[in-house]
Amino acid sequence: MKLRNNLGGRLAAPVCLAVALAAATAAPAFSPFGHRATKTQPNQVGDNAAALADQMRQALDERRYIDASDLLEKARALNLHSPRLTALDGELLLAKGQIPAALAMFRSVAGDPVVKSKALEGEGLSLSLMGKSDEALIALKQATALDKTSWRAWNGLGREYDVRKDWKQSQAAYAQAMAAPGANTAIVLNNRGYSHLLQKQNELAITDFVAALDKDPALAAARTNLRLAMAIEGHYDRAATTGVGDDRAAVLNNVGLAAAIRGDYDEASKLLNQAIEAKGSYYERATDNLQLTKQLQARAQDLSATPNATP
């Protein structure tokens, strides 16, 4: 049994991909925009495709995914297609969590020199989300070699280096992401903060999470991570404070989880019981965490009662 936060798994969920990706790499032979003949002149087709791609790029950057979907449907209706639109289609699929489909889309334009760096970026981020870490690392390194201004690729590299506990490389990757033009610094700050949290550098983590929320108050993952960092520091009351729209049961479960990780088992049990009560119905995550907290507490008591072995 594992301690489970309200996100269903790890201590807290980094958001290295919370903003959509951008392109592709190796190659299923299909076009997502159809094959019907068109009477539109070639130059006009290119101009229209480029204009729609520019609008779709802006919508994705602003996380207006419904607008991006509408623009993509418009391109299809007009029988417009280009490597850029295909790459952006991959980004949209990735934002929707359709990762294998996104990967296929990115790879379908891998051979086009105009979008090659974005194709590699998209491939690397997709592979990372699929748990194919070694392949992801290769693709992301190739993407940053082709385009040193790609904050998404640098941000993804930071996460991959975190997986490997290569802290020096991860911090360097996050620094490159922060410095890139057009970077979503709130996302990068959140991920760098999570890296600090993994390294048990809790104060640095809190600083980054606060900075991320200052730039984007709506970034839910940064708020969750901030609560966890404060709870790991023992600031349970502050961590458990909720506002309008917050899921109080989920917050209490996550803070209780952090208390258990910290070894503060009595406080963890209290918080987890409060989470179960706040839920008002069966709460599997908090119940599992409470059971494991009691097991860990019993084990700690047994160990403290066992005399040290003599040589």
Side-chain angles (χ1 to χ4, degrees):
M1 187 185 301
K2 298 179 181 178
L3 288 168
R4 300 170 60 194
N5 69 5
N6 195 58
L7 299 168
R10 298 170 55 181
L11 175 67
V15 204
C16 63
L17 305 174
V19 169
L21 268 7
T25 292
F30 64 87
S31 168
F33 300 103
H35 302 279
R36 292 175 298 168
T38 177
K39 296 180 181 179
T40 309
Q41 294 300 314
N43 288 345
Q44 185 181 348
V45 169
D47 291 345
N48 289 343
L52 280 171
D54 288 343
Q55 293 174 50
M56 193 171 171
R57 171 76 277 153
Q58 183 175 356
L60 287 169
D61 286 343
E62 295 173 0
R63 286 178 274 178
R64 293 185 287 109
Y65 300 125
I66 293 176
D67 290 343
S69 294
D70 290 343
L71 289 164
L72 185 60
E73 288 305 314
K74 182 177 180 180
R76 287 174 174 153
L78 294 172
N79 193 32
L80 300 177
H81 53 89
S82 71
R84 254 190 97 199
L85 282 169
T86 302
L88 291 166
D89 191 4
E91 287 197 35
L92 183 58
L93 288 167
L94 199 61
K96 293 178 178 179
Q98 300 174 28
I99 301 169
L103 178 60
M105 201 67 67
F106 294 137
R107 285 179 165 171
S108 74
V109 290
D112 190 286
V114 175
V115 297
K116 186 173 182 61
S117 64
K118 290 299 184 183
L120 286 164
E121 174 190 290
E123 180 182 15
L125 294 174
S126 299
L127 290 166
S128 182
L129 286 172
M130 294 169 74
K132 298 182 178 181
S133 184
D134 290 342
E135 296 174 65
L137 185 68
I138 292 169
L140 290 168
K141 288 174 76 171
Q142 290 175 341
T144 55
L146 286 172
D147 181 4
K148 298 189 185 304
T149 67
S150 173
W151 75 267
R152 293 177 178 86
W154 284 115
N155 190 50
L157 266 182
R159 179 182 185 275
E160 286 303 323
Y161 286 128
D162 283 338
V163 168
R164 290 161 176 76
K165 298 183 180 180
D166 189 341
W167 310 124
K168 183 177 179 180
Q169 290 277 27
S170 73
Q171 293 302 303
Y174 290 132
Q176 290 277 10
M178 288 285 292
N184 187 318
T185 51
I187 295 290
V188 182
L189 283 164
N190 174 74
N191 289 0
R192 191 177 71 178
Y194 188 77
S195 179
H196 287 310
L197 203 59
L198 292 174
Q199 298 172 65
K200 299 182 180 179
Q201 298 173 341
N202 299 329
E203 289 300 329
L204 289 175
I206 288 171
T207 298
D208 275 348
F209 296 143
V210 169
L213 288 168
D214 183 57
K215 292 181 177 297
D216 184 0
L219 189 55
R223 194 169 301 282
T224 295
N225 288 338
L226 176 59
R227 287 188 174 117
L228 287 166
M230 290 191 298
I232 289 170
E233 284 289 283
H235 306 311
Y236 303 127
D237 289 342
R238 289 174 59 197
T241 301
T242 55
V244 176
D246 286 332
D247 184 338
R248 180 161 176 76
V251 169
L252 288 165
N253 173 70
N254 289 349
V255 176
L257 179 152
I261 291 171
R262 194 168 184 264
D264 194 346
Y265 301 120
D266 288 338
E267 189 67 26
S269 294
K270 183 180 81 172
L271 289 161
L272 292 166
N273 276 311
Q274 289 176 355
I276 293 168
E277 182 179 351
K279 188 72 171 179
S281 59
Y282 181 65
Y283 193 0
E284 182 181 3
R285 290 190 179 96
T287 301
D288 286 349
N289 287 342
L290 181 60
Q291 182 180 350
L292 186 54
T293 296
K294 291 176 179 178
Q295 293 172 355
L296 292 171
Q297 185 172 25
R299 183 184 302 171
Q301 290 170 345
D302 288 344
L303 288 173
S304 65
T306 301
N308 292 332
T310 54

Short mmCIF file of all heavy atoms in Angstrom, two decimals, residues 7 13-20 61 63 65 151 155 178 184-194 208-227 246:
data_model
loop_
_atom_site.label_atom_id
_atom_site.label_comp_id
_atom_site.label_asym_id
_atom_site.label_seq_id
_atom_site.Cartn_x
_atom_site.Cartn_y
_atom_site.Cartn_z
N LEU A 7 -4.25 13.54 -6.02
CA LEU A 7 -4.02 13.43 -7.44
C LEU A 7 -3.83 11.98 -7.83
O LEU A 7 -3.56 11.66 -8.97
CB LEU A 7 -2.78 14.25 -7.82
CG LEU A 7 -2.94 15.73 -7.50
CD1 LEU A 7 -1.61 16.44 -7.63
CD2 LEU A 7 -3.96 16.37 -8.40
N ALA A 13 1.92 16.64 -7.97
CA ALA A 13 2.07 16.45 -9.40
C ALA A 13 2.74 17.65 -10.05
O ALA A 13 2.19 18.72 -10.08
CB ALA A 13 0.71 16.25 -10.04
N PRO A 14 3.94 17.47 -10.59
CA PRO A 14 4.54 18.57 -11.32
C PRO A 14 3.76 18.86 -12.58
O PRO A 14 3.12 18.00 -13.11
CB PRO A 14 5.94 18.05 -11.66
CG PRO A 14 5.84 16.59 -11.59
CD PRO A 14 4.75 16.27 -10.62
N VAL A 15 3.86 20.08 -13.08
CA VAL A 15 3.05 20.47 -14.21
C VAL A 15 3.91 20.76 -15.41
O VAL A 15 3.65 21.69 -16.14
CB VAL A 15 2.28 21.76 -13.92
CG1 VAL A 15 1.06 21.85 -14.79
CG2 VAL A 15 1.89 21.80 -12.50
N CYS A 16 4.90 19.99 -15.64
CA CYS A 16 5.80 20.34 -16.73
C CYS A 16 5.09 20.41 -18.05
O CYS A 16 5.57 21.02 -18.98
CB CYS A 16 6.96 19.37 -16.81
SG CYS A 16 6.47 17.70 -17.17
N LEU A 17 3.91 19.81 -18.16
CA LEU A 17 3.20 19.82 -19.43
C LEU A 17 1.85 20.49 -19.32
O LEU A 17 0.99 20.28 -20.16
CB LEU A 17 3.04 18.38 -19.94
CG LEU A 17 4.35 17.64 -20.04
CD1 LEU A 17 4.11 16.19 -20.41
CD2 LEU A 17 5.24 18.28 -21.07
N ALA A 18 1.65 21.30 -18.31
CA ALA A 18 0.34 21.92 -18.14
C ALA A 18 0.04 22.88 -19.27
O ALA A 18 -1.09 23.18 -19.55
CB ALA A 18 0.27 22.66 -16.81
N VAL A 19 1.07 23.42 -19.89
CA VAL A 19 0.85 24.21 -21.09
C VAL A 19 1.16 23.31 -22.27
O VAL A 19 2.13 22.57 -22.25
CB VAL A 19 1.79 25.43 -21.11
CG1 VAL A 19 1.76 26.11 -22.45
CG2 VAL A 19 1.36 26.41 -20.03
N ALA A 20 0.35 23.39 -23.31
CA ALA A 20 0.47 22.44 -24.41
C ALA A 20 1.86 22.44 -25.03
O ALA A 20 2.65 23.32 -24.83
CB ALA A 20 -0.55 22.81 -25.48
N ASP A 61 -1.28 28.86 -26.21
CA ASP A 61 -0.43 29.53 -25.22
C ASP A 61 -1.27 30.09 -24.07
O ASP A 61 -0.81 30.14 -22.92
CB ASP A 61 0.37 30.66 -25.87
CG ASP A 61 1.51 30.15 -26.73
OD1 ASP A 61 1.89 28.96 -26.58
OD2 ASP A 61 2.02 30.92 -27.57
N ARG A 63 -4.07 28.77 -23.10
CA ARG A 63 -4.85 27.65 -22.58
C ARG A 63 -6.34 27.78 -22.90
O ARG A 63 -7.20 27.34 -22.16
CB ARG A 63 -4.63 27.46 -21.07
CG ARG A 63 -3.28 26.85 -20.74
CD ARG A 63 -3.08 26.73 -19.25
NE ARG A 63 -2.54 27.96 -18.70
CZ ARG A 63 -2.31 28.15 -17.40
NH1 ARG A 63 -2.58 27.21 -16.53
NH2 ARG A 63 -1.82 29.28 -16.97
N TYR A 65 -8.40 26.10 -24.88
CA TYR A 65 -8.40 24.88 -25.68
C TYR A 65 -9.67 24.72 -26.53
O TYR A 65 -9.62 24.12 -27.60
CB TYR A 65 -8.19 23.67 -24.76
CG TYR A 65 -6.88 23.73 -24.01
CD1 TYR A 65 -6.83 23.64 -22.62
CD2 TYR A 65 -5.68 23.94 -24.70
CE1 TYR A 65 -5.64 23.72 -21.94
CE2 TYR A 65 -4.48 24.03 -24.02
CZ TYR A 65 -4.46 23.92 -22.64
OH TYR A 65 -3.27 24.02 -21.98
N TRP A 151 11.35 26.80 -24.36
CA TRP A 151 11.20 26.65 -22.91
C TRP A 151 10.50 25.35 -22.54
O TRP A 151 10.80 24.74 -21.51
CB TRP A 151 10.46 27.85 -22.32
CG TRP A 151 8.99 27.89 -22.56
CD1 TRP A 151 8.35 28.53 -23.57
CD2 TRP A 151 7.97 27.29 -21.75
NE1 TRP A 151 6.99 28.35 -23.46
CE2 TRP A 151 6.73 27.60 -22.35
CE3 TRP A 151 7.97 26.53 -20.58
CZ2 TRP A 151 5.51 27.18 -21.83
CZ3 TRP A 151 6.77 26.10 -20.06
CH2 TRP A 151 5.55 26.42 -20.67
N ASN A 155 12.04 22.72 -20.02
CA ASN A 155 11.23 22.38 -18.86
C ASN A 155 11.05 20.86 -18.76
O ASN A 155 11.16 20.28 -17.67
CB ASN A 155 9.87 23.08 -18.99
CG ASN A 155 9.05 22.99 -17.73
OD1 ASN A 155 9.52 23.28 -16.65
ND2 ASN A 155 7.79 22.58 -17.87
N MET A 178 13.50 29.26 -17.88
CA MET A 178 13.10 30.56 -17.34
C MET A 178 13.59 31.70 -18.23
O MET A 178 12.91 32.72 -18.39
CB MET A 178 13.67 30.74 -15.93
CG MET A 178 13.02 29.89 -14.87
SD MET A 178 11.39 30.50 -14.39
CE MET A 178 11.82 32.04 -13.58
N ASN A 184 6.44 30.36 -20.07
CA ASN A 184 5.43 30.43 -19.02
C ASN A 184 6.17 30.20 -17.70
O ASN A 184 6.32 29.07 -17.25
CB ASN A 184 4.34 29.39 -19.23
CG ASN A 184 3.19 29.55 -18.25
OD1 ASN A 184 3.39 29.79 -17.07
ND2 ASN A 184 1.98 29.41 -18.75
N THR A 185 6.64 31.27 -17.11
CA THR A 185 7.51 31.14 -15.95
C THR A 185 6.80 30.56 -14.74
O THR A 185 7.44 29.97 -13.87
CB THR A 185 8.14 32.50 -15.59
OG1 THR A 185 7.11 33.49 -15.48
CG2 THR A 185 9.14 32.93 -16.65
N ALA A 186 5.47 30.71 -14.67
CA ALA A 186 4.74 30.11 -13.55
C ALA A 186 4.88 28.59 -13.58
O ALA A 186 5.12 27.95 -12.54
CB ALA A 186 3.27 30.51 -13.60
N ILE A 187 4.75 28.00 -14.76
CA ILE A 187 4.90 26.55 -14.91
C ILE A 187 6.31 26.13 -14.53
O ILE A 187 6.52 25.16 -13.79
CB ILE A 187 4.62 26.14 -16.37
CG1 ILE A 187 3.17 26.41 -16.74
CG2 ILE A 187 4.96 24.67 -16.61
CD1 ILE A 187 2.17 25.53 -16.07
N VAL A 188 7.30 26.85 -15.02
CA VAL A 188 8.70 26.48 -14.75
C VAL A 188 9.02 26.65 -13.27
O VAL A 188 9.68 25.79 -12.66
CB VAL A 188 9.67 27.32 -15.61
CG1 VAL A 188 11.11 26.88 -15.36
CG2 VAL A 188 9.34 27.17 -17.10
N LEU A 189 8.55 27.72 -12.66
CA LEU A 189 8.78 27.92 -11.23
C LEU A 189 8.16 26.80 -10.41
O LEU A 189 8.75 26.32 -9.44
CB LEU A 189 8.21 29.27 -10.79
CG LEU A 189 9.04 30.51 -11.15
CD1 LEU A 189 8.20 31.77 -11.03
CD2 LEU A 189 10.28 30.59 -10.26
N ASN A 190 6.95 26.38 -10.78
CA ASN A 190 6.32 25.28 -10.07
C ASN A 190 7.17 24.02 -10.17
O ASN A 190 7.39 23.32 -9.18
CB ASN A 190 4.93 25.00 -10.65
CG ASN A 190 4.30 23.77 -10.02
OD1 ASN A 190 3.87 23.79 -8.88
ND2 ASN A 190 4.29 22.67 -10.77
N ASN A 191 7.66 23.71 -11.36
CA ASN A 191 8.44 22.49 -11.54
C ASN A 191 9.79 22.58 -10.84
O ASN A 191 10.27 21.60 -10.28
CB ASN A 191 8.61 22.19 -13.02
CG ASN A 191 7.32 21.74 -13.66
OD1 ASN A 191 6.29 21.65 -12.99
ND2 ASN A 191 7.36 21.47 -14.94
N ARG A 192 10.40 23.76 -10.89
CA ARG A 192 11.66 23.92 -10.16
C ARG A 192 11.42 23.79 -8.66
O ARG A 192 12.24 23.20 -7.93
CB ARG A 192 12.28 25.28 -10.49
CG ARG A 192 13.72 25.40 -9.98
CD ARG A 192 14.34 26.71 -10.38
NE ARG A 192 13.76 27.84 -9.66
CZ ARG A 192 14.16 29.11 -9.80
NH1 ARG A 192 15.09 29.41 -10.69
NH2 ARG A 192 13.59 30.07 -9.11
N GLY A 193 10.31 24.32 -8.20
CA GLY A 193 9.96 24.17 -6.79
C GLY A 193 9.77 22.71 -6.42
O GLY A 193 10.21 22.26 -5.35
N TYR A 194 9.13 21.96 -7.29
CA TYR A 194 8.94 20.53 -7.03
C TYR A 194 10.29 19.82 -6.99
O TYR A 194 10.49 18.91 -6.18
CB TYR A 194 8.04 19.93 -8.11
CG TYR A 194 7.65 18.51 -7.81
CD1 TYR A 194 6.67 18.22 -6.88
CD2 TYR A 194 8.25 17.44 -8.48
CE1 TYR A 194 6.30 16.92 -6.60
CE2 TYR A 194 7.90 16.14 -8.20
CZ TYR A 194 6.92 15.88 -7.26
OH TYR A 194 6.56 14.58 -6.99
N ASP A 208 9.63 29.17 -4.57
CA ASP A 208 9.26 29.00 -5.98
C ASP A 208 7.76 28.85 -6.18
O ASP A 208 7.18 29.41 -7.12
CB ASP A 208 9.97 27.77 -6.57
CG ASP A 208 11.37 28.09 -7.06
OD1 ASP A 208 11.71 29.27 -7.17
OD2 ASP A 208 12.13 27.14 -7.35
N PHE A 209 7.09 28.12 -5.29
CA PHE A 209 5.65 27.94 -5.43
C PHE A 209 4.91 29.27 -5.23
O PHE A 209 3.96 29.57 -5.95
CB PHE A 209 5.12 26.90 -4.43
CG PHE A 209 5.67 25.52 -4.65
CD1 PHE A 209 5.97 24.69 -3.57
CD2 PHE A 209 5.88 25.03 -5.93
CE1 PHE A 209 6.47 23.42 -3.76
CE2 PHE A 209 6.39 23.75 -6.13
CZ PHE A 209 6.68 22.95 -5.05
N VAL A 210 5.36 30.05 -4.27
CA VAL A 210 4.75 31.37 -4.04
C VAL A 210 4.95 32.26 -5.27
O VAL A 210 4.03 32.95 -5.72
CB VAL A 210 5.33 32.03 -2.78
CG1 VAL A 210 4.90 33.50 -2.69
CG2 VAL A 210 4.88 31.28 -1.53
N ALA A 211 6.15 32.23 -5.83
CA ALA A 211 6.44 33.03 -7.03
C ALA A 211 5.59 32.57 -8.21
O ALA A 211 5.10 33.39 -9.00
CB ALA A 211 7.92 32.93 -7.38
N ALA A 212 5.39 31.26 -8.33
CA ALA A 212 4.56 30.72 -9.42
C ALA A 212 3.12 31.22 -9.29
O ALA A 212 2.50 31.64 -10.28
CB ALA A 212 4.60 29.20 -9.41
N LEU A 213 2.60 31.21 -8.07
CA LEU A 213 1.22 31.66 -7.84
C LEU A 213 1.09 33.17 -8.00
O LEU A 213 0.03 33.66 -8.39
CB LEU A 213 0.75 31.23 -6.45
CG LEU A 213 0.48 29.72 -6.32
CD1 LEU A 213 0.32 29.33 -4.87
CD2 LEU A 213 -0.76 29.33 -7.12
N ASP A 214 2.15 33.89 -7.72
CA ASP A 214 2.13 35.33 -7.93
C ASP A 214 1.97 35.65 -9.42
O ASP A 214 1.28 36.60 -9.80
CB ASP A 214 3.42 35.96 -7.40
CG ASP A 214 3.42 37.48 -7.52
OD1 ASP A 214 2.49 38.11 -6.98
OD2 ASP A 214 4.33 38.02 -8.17
N LYS A 215 2.60 34.82 -10.27
CA LYS A 215 2.51 35.02 -11.71
C LYS A 215 1.22 34.46 -12.28
O LYS A 215 0.69 34.97 -13.27
CB LYS A 215 3.72 34.40 -12.40
CG LYS A 215 5.03 35.12 -12.10
CD LYS A 215 6.20 34.49 -12.81
CE LYS A 215 7.48 35.27 -12.56
NZ LYS A 215 7.42 36.65 -13.09
N ASP A 216 0.72 33.36 -11.69
CA ASP A 216 -0.51 32.73 -12.19
C ASP A 216 -1.30 32.19 -11.00
O ASP A 216 -1.15 31.02 -10.62
CB ASP A 216 -0.17 31.60 -13.17
CG ASP A 216 -1.42 30.97 -13.78
OD1 ASP A 216 -2.54 31.41 -13.44
OD2 ASP A 216 -1.28 30.04 -14.60
N PRO A 217 -2.16 33.01 -10.40
CA PRO A 217 -2.93 32.58 -9.23
C PRO A 217 -3.83 31.38 -9.50
O PRO A 217 -4.26 30.70 -8.56
CB PRO A 217 -3.76 33.82 -8.87
CG PRO A 217 -3.03 34.97 -9.48
CD PRO A 217 -2.41 34.43 -10.73
N ALA A 218 -4.11 31.10 -10.76
CA ALA A 218 -5.01 29.98 -11.10
C ALA A 218 -4.27 28.65 -11.27
O ALA A 218 -4.89 27.64 -11.56
CB ALA A 218 -5.77 30.30 -12.39
N LEU A 219 -2.96 28.64 -11.06
CA LEU A 219 -2.17 27.42 -11.27
C LEU A 219 -2.38 26.48 -10.09
O LEU A 219 -1.70 26.56 -9.06
CB LEU A 219 -0.70 27.76 -11.45
CG LEU A 219 0.22 26.61 -11.89
CD1 LEU A 219 -0.26 25.96 -13.17
CD2 LEU A 219 1.65 27.12 -12.06
N ALA A 220 -3.33 25.57 -10.24
CA ALA A 220 -3.75 24.71 -9.13
C ALA A 220 -2.62 23.83 -8.62
O ALA A 220 -2.51 23.60 -7.41
CB ALA A 220 -4.94 23.85 -9.56
N ALA A 221 -1.79 23.32 -9.51
CA ALA A 221 -0.71 22.43 -9.07
C ALA A 221 0.27 23.15 -8.15
O ALA A 221 0.76 22.57 -7.18
CB ALA A 221 0.03 21.87 -10.28
N ALA A 222 0.55 24.42 -8.44
CA ALA A 222 1.45 25.18 -7.57
C ALA A 222 0.84 25.38 -6.19
O ALA A 222 1.54 25.33 -5.17
CB ALA A 222 1.78 26.53 -8.21
N ARG A 223 -0.47 25.58 -6.14
CA ARG A 223 -1.13 25.75 -4.85
C ARG A 223 -1.09 24.45 -4.04
O ARG A 223 -0.82 24.45 -2.84
CB ARG A 223 -2.59 26.19 -5.07
CG ARG A 223 -3.26 26.72 -3.81
CD ARG A 223 -4.59 27.38 -4.15
NE ARG A 223 -4.43 28.49 -5.07
CZ ARG A 223 -4.01 29.69 -4.71
NH1 ARG A 223 -3.71 29.93 -3.44
NH2 ARG A 223 -3.89 30.65 -5.60
N THR A 224 -1.33 23.33 -4.73
CA THR A 224 -1.24 22.03 -4.06
C THR A 224 0.18 21.78 -3.55
O THR A 224 0.39 21.35 -2.41
CB THR A 224 -1.64 20.90 -5.03
OG1 THR A 224 -3.02 21.06 -5.38
CG2 THR A 224 -1.46 19.53 -4.40
N ASN A 225 1.15 22.06 -4.40
CA ASN A 225 2.55 21.84 -4.01
C ASN A 225 2.96 22.75 -2.85
O ASN A 225 3.71 22.34 -1.96
CB ASN A 225 3.47 22.07 -5.21
CG ASN A 225 3.38 20.96 -6.24
OD1 ASN A 225 2.96 19.84 -5.92
ND2 ASN A 225 3.76 21.26 -7.46
N LEU A 226 2.47 23.98 -2.86
CA LEU A 226 2.78 24.90 -1.76
C LEU A 226 2.23 24.37 -0.44
O LEU A 226 2.92 24.40 0.59
CB LEU A 226 2.20 26.28 -2.06
CG LEU A 226 2.36 27.34 -0.97
CD1 LEU A 226 3.83 27.57 -0.64
CD2 LEU A 226 1.67 28.65 -1.38
N ARG A 227 1.01 23.88 -0.47
CA ARG A 227 0.42 23.31 0.75
C ARG A 227 1.26 22.13 1.25
O ARG A 227 1.50 21.99 2.45
CB ARG A 227 -1.01 22.87 0.48
CG ARG A 227 -2.01 24.02 0.35
CD ARG A 227 -3.41 23.46 0.29
NE ARG A 227 -4.41 24.52 0.30
CZ ARG A 227 -5.26 24.75 -0.68
NH1 ARG A 227 -5.24 23.99 -1.76
NH2 ARG A 227 -6.14 25.72 -0.61
N ASP A 246 -12.16 25.36 -3.25
CA ASP A 246 -11.22 24.31 -2.86
C ASP A 246 -11.97 23.07 -2.38
O ASP A 246 -13.03 23.18 -1.74
CB ASP A 246 -10.29 24.79 -1.74
CG ASP A 246 -9.23 25.77 -2.24
OD1 ASP A 246 -8.88 25.68 -3.43
OD2 ASP A 246 -8.78 26.62 -1.45
#
